[in-house]
């Protein structure tokens, strides 16, 4: 062997690196923001909401000795996205990684989903992800430093579940998953890695809204369906994102990490029976 074995712990460090997280005002985006800060990275959050929902955001900088900034941005608006990115870059100075977590979902029978609902989902989940990734990539290419991009796909990009009426959302996450593969191949020569995580049902405002649209029985059946028999939390996701952003994953690109409690391969009974309407 002509190389030395390295310690593993330092590979996970994100110190002195700069990241952008969209949708970081709350939920998975905020959990990822906090995790990056804990690992020493600076983070600019871009989110449509006027301010972070989680008050802990304002304490992250002092707590972890990192730089944070919050930029109100609508990822569906070209000017807004460009201006938000420029502001993030001005403060951070360079970009090492990106986690576009802004996303929406609706749970409604396929035949009732409207043009407006479909379009809004694609605009945020797919087009917003596409163009913030393009901005970050252009900057990484300019820097010549490489980088790591972690897109948020979903179990909905892989499987259809009975009683899970999210056709427009499934289509959007299928788009995100394929986007990551296309970019991983195109950008690999520049040492820009592109990977995804595919969460299952995560406890968040998004699933709360979807849960509100379902009967309690349906909701409970669904959350208990994974072989590990629980709803996941944001804490189940952050380690995977840190790993993919870090040097520990330096040869990993075009990978998807399913974090579903096993639901992507089967259910606890091997069968779920839901009301279909
Ligand atoms: N919750 C789940 O079960 C689950 C499962 C798989 C994947 N995901 C994905 O994880 C990501 C985060 O979801 P979450 O569960 O944390 O939801 P969430 O609703 O808690 O957070 C979404 C964030 O995106 C922001 N956002 C929405 N529209 C925006 C826009 N136009 N511009 C900028 N920001 C906008 C919201 O303000 C919010 O802060 C989404 O991409 C979602 O599809 C969620």
């Amino acid at each position: 062997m002509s190389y030395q074995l390295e310690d593993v712990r330092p590979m996970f460090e994100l110190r002195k690196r700069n990241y952008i997280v969209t949708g970081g005002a709350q939920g998975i985006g905020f959990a990822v923001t906090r995790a990056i800060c804990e690992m020493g990275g600076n983070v600019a959050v871009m989110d449509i909401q006027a301010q972070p929902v989680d008050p802990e955001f304002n304490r992250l900088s002092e707590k972890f000795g990192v730089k944070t900034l919050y930029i109100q941005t609508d990822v569906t608006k070209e000017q807004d996205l460009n201006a938000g990115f420029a502001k993030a870059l001005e403060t951070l100075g360079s970009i090492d990684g990106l986690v576009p977590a802004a996303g929406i979902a609706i749970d409604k029978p396929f035949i009732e989903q409207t043009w407006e609902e479909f379009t809004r989902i694609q605009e945020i989940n797919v087009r917003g992800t596409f163009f913030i990734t393009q901005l970050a990539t252009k900057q990484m290419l300019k820097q010549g430093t490489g980088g790591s991009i972690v897109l948020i796909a979903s179990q909905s990009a892989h499987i259809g579940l009975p009683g899970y009426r999210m056709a427009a959302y499934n289509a959007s996450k299928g788009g995100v998953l394929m986007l990551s593969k296309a970019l991983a191949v195109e950008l690999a020569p520049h040492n820009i890695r592109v990977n995804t995580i595919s969460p299952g049902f995560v406890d968040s405002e998004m699933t709360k809204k979807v849960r509100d649209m379902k009967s309690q029985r349906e909701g409970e059946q669904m959350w208990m369906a994974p072989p590990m028999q629980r709803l996941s939390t944001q804490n189940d996701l952050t380690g995977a994102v840190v790993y993919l952003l870090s040097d520990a994953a330096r040869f990993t690109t075009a990978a998807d990490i399913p974090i579903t409690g096993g639901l992507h391969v089967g259910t606890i009974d091997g069968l779920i029976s839901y009301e279909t309407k």
Side-chain angles (χ1 to χ4, degrees):
M1 208 164 55
S2 59
Y3 56 90
Q4 296 288 312
L5 287 178
E6 287 175 54
D7 290 341
V8 171
R9 202 178 295 267
M11 293 183 192
F12 286 86
E13 277 292 343
L14 302 181
R15 232 176 276 269
K16 295 200 177 86
R17 295 190 185 169
N18 302 318
Y19 296 90
I20 291 179
V21 177
T22 70
Q26 65 179 44
I28 293 170
F30 176 71
V32 165
T33 298
R34 189 190 183 283
I36 295 172
C37 291
E38 184 198 340
M39 298 306 288
N42 305 311
V43 184
V45 164
M46 294 163 66
D47 194 293
I48 197 169
Q49 300 187 66
Q51 55 199 23
V53 175
D54 199 316
E56 197 190 0
F57 180 86
N58 296 316
R59 298 193 292 273
L60 293 177
S61 173
E62 198 185 331
K63 185 170 181 184
F64 296 118
V66 296
K67 217 186 282 179
T68 56
L69 79 153
Y70 187 88
I71 308 161
Q72 186 178 16
T73 315
D74 182 346
V75 302
T76 68
K77 303 219 159 63
E78 185 179 359
Q79 301 305 327
D80 219 28
L81 192 71
N82 289 343
F85 180 81
K87 199 167 166 195
L89 183 61
E90 189 188 322
T91 303
L92 298 175
S94 61
I95 304 296
D96 299 293
L98 169 73
V99 184
I104 59 164
I106 53 163
D107 181 293
K108 221 177 173 191
F110 169 58
I111 57 171
E112 290 172 21
Q113 297 191 13
T114 66
W115 279 72
E116 288 72 24
E117 288 164 343
F118 175 88
T119 303
R120 185 80 185 143
I121 286 181
Q122 310 310 319
E123 279 181 351
I124 297 173
N125 297 9
V126 186
R127 197 177 68 186
T129 296
F130 185 99
F131 283 106
I132 187 64
T133 303
Q134 189 186 67
L135 287 167
T137 300
K138 277 186 195 170
Q139 178 58 28
M140 289 169 188
L141 292 174
K142 200 165 150 190
Q143 293 166 192
T145 52
S148 175
I149 297 166
V150 180
L151 305 186
I152 313 292
S154 169
Q155 68 184 352
S156 323
H158 300 268
I159 51 169
L161 289 168
Y164 190 65
R165 295 156 301 201
M166 302 181 79
Y169 181 77
N170 285 72
S172 77
K173 290 298 174 175
V176 168
L177 183 69
M178 194 57 218
L179 175 65
S180 76
K181 294 178 198 292
L183 297 184
V185 172
E186 185 172 336
L187 302 177
H190 304 283
N191 200 26
I192 299 173
R193 298 181 294 102
V194 189
N195 295 288
T196 49
I197 60 164
S198 284
F201 301 118
V202 187
D203 191 12
S204 74
E205 283 304 312
M206 180 182 281
T207 37
K208 220 172 279 168
K209 277 186 207 136
V210 173
R211 270 180 283 173
D212 289 345
M213 294 179 211
K214 293 187 168 298
S215 70
Q216 202 185 345
R217 189 183 75 81
E218 265 190 308
E220 277 166 14
Q221 265 190 320
M222 193 164 271
W223 317 132
M224 294 302 279
M228 293 189 79
Q229 285 185 285
R230 68 170 171 84
L231 190 58
S232 87
T233 76
Q234 288 142 20
N235 295 324
D236 298 324
L237 312 177
T238 45
V241 176
V242 165
Y243 162 67
L244 291 171
L245 290 176
S246 77
D247 287 352
R250 66 178 75 142
F251 202 54
T252 299
T253 197
D256 176 66
I257 303 184
I259 309 173
T260 68
L263 190 58
H264 61 289
V265 291
T267 69
I268 187 67
D269 297 320
L271 181 74
I272 322 175
S273 67
Y274 294 119
E275 294 159 14
T276 49
K277 166 96 181 156

